[in-house]
Structure formats: structure tokens, C-alpha cells
Amino acid sequence: MKKVITKRNIMVALLVIAVYAALFFLVNMKVLNRHYRSLLAPVGINVILAVSLNLTVGFLGELNLGHGGFMSIGAYAGCLFTIYTDLPLAIQFPLALIIGGAVAAIFGILIGIPALRLQGDYLAIVTLAFGEIVRSVLTNMKVTGGAGGLKGIGKSTNYTIVYIVAIITILIISNLVKSRHGRGICSIRDNIIASESLGVNVIFHKLLAFVVAAFFAGMAGVLYGQNLGILKPDAFDFNKSIEILVMVVLGGMGNLTGSVIAAVVITLLPEILRGFSDYRMLAYAIVLITMMIWNANPRFAMVKNNVYSWLHRKRGNAR
Amino acid sequence: MAMLTVENLEVYYGVIKALKGISFEVREGEVIALIGANGAGKTTILHTVTGLLPAKSGSISFCGEELTKTPAHKIVSMGMAHVPEGRRIFQELTVLDNLKLGAFTRRDKEEINESLEKVYQRFERLKERKSQIAGTLSGGEQQMLALGRALMSRPKIILMDEPSMGLSPLYVSEIFHIIQEISQAGTTVLLVEQNAKKALSIADRAYVLETGKIVLSGDAKELMKDDSVKKAYLGEG
Ligand SMILES: Nc1ncnc2c1ncn2[C@@H]1O[C@H](COP(=O)(O)OP(=O)(O)OP(=O)(O)O)[C@@H](O)[C@H]1O
Ligand SMILES: [Mg+2]
């Protein structure tokens, strides 16, 4: 049996409560003005998106350029469900989350099965096309309200709910990557021939990482719709997918804490530095290119390796 | 009874025929050496047997089961381990993670821990370095890790592709010593080697491969005396 009550888990639980208490204080004592309060939910939603995308891009090592597409599919599925059903909110809302996630996951399976069988950068191309196709379909469909957007969604979420869902997402994904299946996923990124020869079912594990990520992107989409009250296809364009990718790259591939921090920073930065938002996409491009050059630089890779092995050794000794 | 029987195996890379009808067998408890020049098709044989490459025709039977249609991930759980050419350890993962991945097809945590202890006993250096990132190990240590990782699946047979490649003479001797130990502990060994002298000296039987065909086979000690083998692979005569 694995021990649940360890020192580490208690620390994590305390941290989670402390952060929430701080937010609660800031909101209720009116320390934050309305504008900043309205940013709390988007920050949490982006945390969910970045952490889940890291599973595909960082841990599995496959480039996914259509995370925004999965988000939008989930958002529309979940929000349409709340519009067309009449259930008590306590049942309807969790159901909507699950439906949004499940529909996104189904699309993940549909495009993952053909794309992940191939080696190479096919997934990047397929997901890129997928995101654009989803957007244009949503723009042209009647039920989704077309380009004008889907209106009349009950605003049934708040920062507390988003916070809880984000914590659950982080817990599930961090446990997944530490599990046996998670080791399988990381081994594929590292050396696909070796992992195959050790009995890792490569296609299954690729699909697992990809579909779990799509599921959480779908849930994030539902939260997004329920927070804004309106969905527009253009909110989930290529730029959104790139924005999430920048969070993952900036926070560090395969580093969940990094993704959380980067998601918070990148969501808040344009709001704090007014005028920056005009140059946002330019800044993202620069960040991506710099990180790529850095990562490809052997000297930087060495520094990184040293830091990692130092960290590992420290953790190893602590055990 | 033969544990592994390969019959008339043909493998293509596109239109290039890499294996032109290979037949051989490995009996339980044996150490079999497979020698041959660069490009003869040794790695291709191992990759086909372990399911990494598809066979065009022929059959591979392992403990009575046909492998040519079995996916790679199932073959491992049947008791076959593969130490691939060029080590192919997981460079970015820790030594411990590498070893745990060796036991990927096994579920029982306690038994896995037992195997881990055994591997640590055999390779003490791996124990000292279990939290180290595997890519930072020395070449010899990486080869030890690749061997230890293969043992973690508790195989009936272990297929090794040039385990002595790129190692200093001292390490080469150590690796061959370990292979003998593995064999004595009851694991059958199929060994692909460039170092024909060492391979033949520890093998029971051997097969000589030339451009996709087996040209010679027999008792390892006899082959060591064979003139053509001496000339081509032992650098004598
Ligand atoms: N992926 C591939 N595509 C095309 N041809 C290949 C491929 N892999 C191997 N070959 C060819 O198949 C033949 C056998 O290669 P193989 O790797 O099995 O040789 P080997 O006996 O292991 O040689 P070495 O001792 O150098 O490792 C060679 O002629 C090689 O060029
Ligand atoms: Mg070879």
C-alpha cells in the first residue's frame, strides 16, 4: 500500500489551502479591484490548459498545435448541454464539465489514432489543421450561433470552482506522470526503440497522454464558457494554441510547476503592462525561438543536466 | 527442445533484402553467438525476433508460440529481453527509472523490488548512482545499465546486440564475465558480437552470418579452429 499521509502530501495540501485563503482574502477584503478579480478565473483556466498540454508536449514529446481546438470543442459541447437541459445546477454543472471533457477526448482519439501511428512531426500538422477546421465549422453552424457566438450561457462558475478544478487537474496529471504508465510515456520521448523493446505499448501510451490532455482542455473550455457567458469561435484560434504552447515551453517541458507559474505570469502580464498586448504575439514568437535556441545549445543542455541531476540527488538523499 | 526456433526468415528494408532465409535454433540454457561482418544482418535478426521489424516470410517460434505476428510489447512479457545495439538507455531519465522501465511488463511491486536488489547486487555501481541521470553515466556504466535493465523483466532468454562495443579491454572482460554469470544463473543467451574471439570463447554454439545468410554453424570451440573463421573474424592466419 502506498502511504497517503506523507510529509510531502501534507505540505502540498497546506499550500493549496494557503493559496486559496490568500485569494479569498484579496477578493473579499476588496484589495483587488474588479478588473483584477475578473482575471482570477482565466488564470486558473490557463493553468489547466498549460498543465494538460505539457503532458503531450513535455512528457510525451509530441508537438500539439491544436490545444485551443480541443478547448473549443469541450466548451461548446458542455455549454450547449447547459443551455438545452434543465437540471439543478449542482448536477448540471459537473455533468457539463464531464461532457465537455469527454467530447474533446473523443475527438482526441479520432485524430490521435491515425496521427500518432506515424513517426515524425505529423501530429503537429494534423492538430494545426484540426484547430482551424473546428473553428471554421463552429463559425458556420447554426446551433453554435455562428460567428456571432453562442449566447445565453448561464454564468455558473467563479474563481473558487476554477481553482478546485485546476487543483484536481494538477493532482491527476502529476500522479499520472509519476505512475508506471507515466514512465512509459516519458520513455517514448527519450528513446522510442528502447521503450518498444522493453514492452511499452507505444501507440497506446501516446494515445493515453494525448487524450487525457484533450480531456482537460475540454473541461477548461467549459469553465471558460461558463465564466464569460458567451462563446465565440475566434477566441480559440491558432493564437490561443500558441499562447498555451508558450506557457509550456517557458515553464519547462515536463515541468508541471513551471507550467503553473508560466500560465499565471503570461495571463497576468499583458494586463499589468498595458500596451504590451499589442505586441503579444511578437513577444511569444521571440520567447519560443529563444527557448528553442537555448535548448538546442549543448552548453545550456549541460547546465540543465547538472541542475537536474543535482536536484535528483538531493531528492534521492532526502528519501 | 529448442526454446527459440527461426526458420527461413526473410526480411526486407523496402526493396532491399536484408535477410535471405535464415534458420537457427537456441536451446534452453545455451549461450549462442551470432557473428558476422558489419552489415551482415545481425541487428536485423534481433529486431525481427523481438517484433520491432516485420518479417516478409518464415517463422519464429518461441516456447511453442509463433512470434512473427505478435506485437513487440507482448513478446517481452513472454520472457524475451533485448539489449539493443548502441545501448539505447533512456538518457534523460534516472538510473532507477531506467531499471523500473525494464520491469514495465511486470505488475507485482514486491517481486520487482526483489529483482531490483538482485540487479544492484550484480552491478554495485548502479546502486550508488541510482538517482543519477543515465545520460551522464560513462559508456561502460551505460552498458551495465542496459544489461541490468534487460534483466529486470526476468527473461527466459536475453538477446544482446554487441554489448562490448566501444568498451575498454577491462570493461569488455567484465561484460563477458557478467554474461557468463547470467547464463549460469539459468538465462539463455543469444549474443551478437564483433568481438568474435571473446564471443566464441564463452559460447556453446555459434552461427556465422554473411550478407543475410548463415554460412557456417557449429560448436563454438570447433569454429574457433576453422580456417575461414580464423581468417575473417579472429584476425589470424
Ligand atoms: N532502416 C534500414 N533501412 C534500409 N536498410 C537498412 C536499414 N537497417 C539496416 N539496413 C541494411 O540492412 C543490412 C543489415 O544491417 P544490420 O544492421 O542488420 O547489420 P549488422 O550485421 O547488425 O551490422 P553491424 O555489425 O555493423 O551492426 C545492411 O546492409 C544495412 O545497410
Ligand atoms: Mg548491428
Side-chain angles (χ1 to χ4, degrees):
Chain A
M1 264 311 278
K2 241 201 304 192
K3 267 209 303 196
V4 181
I5 305 175
T6 61
K7 215 167 155 189
R8 192 165 184 259
N9 289 355
I10 294 171
M11 292 298 285
V12 169
L14 286 179
L15 183 72
V16 166
I17 294 168
V19 171
Y20 182 74
L23 286 177
F24 189 82
F25 172 80
L26 290 175
V27 170
N28 287 303
M29 294 292 136
K30 304 268 188 276
V31 179
L32 295 179
N33 63 28
R34 239 180 101 184
H35 177 63
Y36 281 108
R37 256 179 287 151
S38 73
L39 285 173
L40 292 177
V43 166
I45 291 167
N46 280 340
V47 165
I48 299 173
L49 289 166
V51 165
S52 58
L53 184 65
N54 205 341
L55 188 58
T56 325
V57 178
F59 290 94
L60 175 63
E62 292 272 350
L63 191 51
N64 175 351
L65 297 176
H67 216 48
F70 290 114
M71 180 189 181
S72 71
I73 283 195
Y76 276 90
C79 293
L80 280 170
F81 170 78
T82 60
I83 291 174
Y84 287 103
T85 55
D86 193 19
L87 296 165
L89 196 64
I91 299 172
Q92 193 184 44
F93 184 75
L95 261 182
L97 276 182
I98 290 169
I99 288 175
V103 172
I106 289 168
F107 276 86
I109 294 172
L110 289 180
I111 73 166
I113 286 178
L116 290 168
R117 279 176 172 275
L118 305 167
Q119 280 184 29
D121 292 331
Y122 291 98
L123 191 74
I125 298 164
V126 173
T127 48
L128 173 64
F130 167 75
E132 290 304 298
I133 292 168
V134 167
R135 187 165 63 97
S136 79
V137 168
L138 291 175
T139 313
N140 290 302
M141 273 201 332
K142 255 228 168 86
V143 261
T144 60
L150 184 65
K151 299 185 189 76
I153 306 166
K155 285 195 181 189
S156 52
T157 192
N158 54 38
Y159 75 95
T160 306
I161 293 174
V162 174
Y163 186 79
I164 293 170
V165 178
I167 295 296
I168 292 173
T169 307
I170 295 169
L171 281 180
I172 290 180
I173 293 187
S174 64
N175 274 307
L176 173 64
V177 298
K178 274 186 244 145
S179 71
R180 173 174 164 275
H181 285 303
R183 256 198 306 277
I185 291 169
C186 296
S187 77
I188 295 173
R189 169 197 69 193
D190 202 318
N191 196 323
I192 190 165
I193 294 197
S195 58
E196 218 178 347
S197 77
L198 291 175
V200 177
N201 186 342
V202 169
I203 294 172
F204 171 79
H205 283 90
K206 278 184 174 183
L207 208 58
L208 177 70
F210 185 66
V211 170
V212 168
F215 179 87
F216 284 106
M219 290 227 295
V222 179
L223 290 173
Y224 175 90
Q226 299 282 329
N227 181 53
L228 271 190
I230 179 169
L231 285 174
K232 285 191 173 177
D234 284 344
F236 311 102
D237 59 359
F238 181 57
N239 289 350
K240 181 65 194 176
S241 296
I242 290 296
E243 185 182 75
I244 309 166
L245 187 64
V246 169
M247 293 170 189
V248 172
V249 174
L250 198 63
M253 306 269 205
N255 180 346
L256 292 178
T257 316
S259 290
V260 173
I261 295 169
V264 174
V265 170
I266 289 191
T267 319
L268 294 182
L269 209 58
E271 306 294 335
I272 294 167
L273 307 173
R274 284 297 166 92
F276 171 75
S277 51
D278 294 342
Y279 301 102
R280 200 150 101 182
M281 289 320 289
L282 183 67
Y284 290 165
I286 294 171
V287 166
L288 274 180
I289 294 170
T290 320
M291 291 304 283
M292 262 186 294
I293 294 172
W294 247 26
N295 280 329
N297 183 336
R299 206 174 303 159
F300 177 67
M302 215 173 68
V303 172
K304 210 169 58 175
N305 264 343
N306 288 344
V307 171
Y308 277 165
S309 59
W310 180 76
L311 280 176
H312 274 284
R313 226 172 300 144
K314 249 186 90 171
R315 230 188 292 160
N317 290 343
R319 242 183 242 143
Chain B
M1 202 197 91
M3 178 182 246
L4 175 69
T5 312
V6 174
E7 269 169 4
N8 290 320
L9 190 65
E10 293 195 350
V11 175
Y12 285 73
Y13 289 109
V15 293
I16 301 165
K17 196 171 185 175
L19 299 185
K20 306 164 182 169
I22 298 278
S23 303
F24 65 89
E25 61 171 36
V26 182
R27 298 183 207 120
E28 196 169 339
E30 278 186 318
V31 175
I32 298 295
L34 200 58
I35 57 177
N38 291 119
K42 305 178 296 292
T43 299
T44 308
I45 292 179
L46 295 197
H47 278 198
T48 315
V49 170
T50 52
L52 300 180
L53 272 177
K56 174 92 175 179
S57 66
S59 77
I60 303 166
S61 99
F62 175 57
C63 299
E65 297 205 46
E66 178 59 37
L67 294 192
T68 40
K69 295 283 177 291
T70 314
H73 62 93
K74 294 230 172 88
I75 293 177
V76 180
S77 45
M78 291 166 65
M80 183 181 286
H82 180 196
V83 185
E85 187 172 25
R87 299 172 196 131
R88 291 195 179 272
I89 56 158
F90 301 110
Q91 303 271 338
E92 292 173 21
L93 307 183
T94 61
V95 168
L96 182 60
D97 278 336
N98 268 273
L99 291 174
K100 281 188 177 167
L101 274 158
F104 192 79
T105 54
R106 296 170 56 190
R107 300 301 172 97
D108 190 321
K109 275 221 170 112
E110 270 173 29
E111 287 187 8
I112 293 176
N113 279 336
E114 270 173 35
S115 302
L116 195 60
E117 280 312 313
K118 273 191 196 158
V119 168
Y120 282 156
Q121 267 171 24
R122 183 164 278 144
F123 306 101
E124 277 172 14
R125 236 188 249 227
L126 295 183
K127 184 170 189 174
E128 290 161 21
R129 295 167 182 272
K130 62 182 174 191
S131 312
Q132 189 170 332
I133 298 291
T136 61
L137 293 176
S138 81
E141 289 163 353
Q142 291 190 15
Q143 188 62 60
M144 304 288 175
L145 178 57
L147 277 178
R149 191 180 63 181
L151 291 174
M152 286 296 292
S153 69
R154 257 199 327 198
K156 295 191 192 111
I157 185 171
I158 184 163
L159 280 51
M160 303 186 198
D161 201 341
E162 306 203 19
S164 75
M165 186 163 59
L167 299 185
S168 68
L170 206 65
Y171 256 106
V172 172
S173 300
E174 191 170 343
I175 285 276
F176 276 96
H177 182 69
I178 289 166
I179 297 172
Q180 274 180 307
E181 277 182 4
I182 291 172
S183 162
Q184 276 152 18
T187 309
T188 308
V189 176
L190 176 59
L191 176 65
V192 163
E193 257 304 331
Q194 288 290 346
N195 191 335
K197 199 177 216 162
K198 284 267 185 198
L200 289 176
S201 73
I202 67 163
D204 298 306
R205 292 185 301 118
Y207 292 86
V208 180
L209 198 67
E210 252 169 47
T211 56
K213 276 191 298 236
I214 285 175
V215 292
L216 212 60
S217 65
D219 185 85
K221 307 290 168 301
E222 299 289 312
L223 282 177
M224 270 177 117
K225 292 182 202 138
D226 184 282
D227 281 337
S228 61
V229 172
K230 269 189 186 166
K231 209 167 172 180
Y233 303 107
L234 301 177
E236 297 170 13

